[in-house]
Amino acid sequence: VFMDMVLGVEVGAIKCPTLVVGAECDMLLNNGLQQEIARKYGSDFLSFPVGHMVQLEDTNNRIIRQIVNWSKSNVSLAIAA
């Protein structure tokens, strides 16, 4: 059921840039699955050496800064299109 939920979204239904944020030490969704999701949807992929709770392990805001930078570079392109 979980895989259907994660991979069951119709690829053509997504009309904006997408980003998959991966966690290399995630015990629930391994890095290979995270990369598979990114490939399926043509998403950019950022991976970090943390566990499943990325936002809680980002104590120096390094991860969020990279996500914000990606958003600044990609979201405006989607709005303009």
Side-chain angles (χ1 to χ4, degrees):
V1 172
F2 177 75
M3 290 302 295
D4 289 339
M5 182 177 68
V6 171
L7 298 174
V9 175
E10 183 181 330
V11 174
I14 300 171
K15 305 292 185 199
C16 63
T18 54
L19 173 66
V20 173
V21 177
E24 296 165 10
C25 302
D26 192 331
M27 302 295 276
L28 298 174
L29 298 172
N30 69 56
N31 205 254
L33 175 60
Q34 298 163 21
Q35 291 177 34
E36 180 182 340
I37 293 167
R39 276 191 301 276
K40 175 177 179 172
Y41 296 108
S43 302
D44 290 336
F45 181 72
L46 295 176
S47 186
F48 301 96
V50 295
H52 186 75
M53 300 298 287
V54 175
Q55 68 278 19
L56 297 179
E57 297 181 49
D58 186 24
T59 56
N60 62 4
N61 293 324
R62 182 177 71 92
I63 295 170
I64 194 64
R65 281 196 300 271
Q66 289 188 46
I67 294 169
V68 167
N69 289 338
W70 180 91
S71 296
K72 286 179 180 177
S73 298
N74 292 277
V75 173
S76 62
L77 297 174
I79 294 170

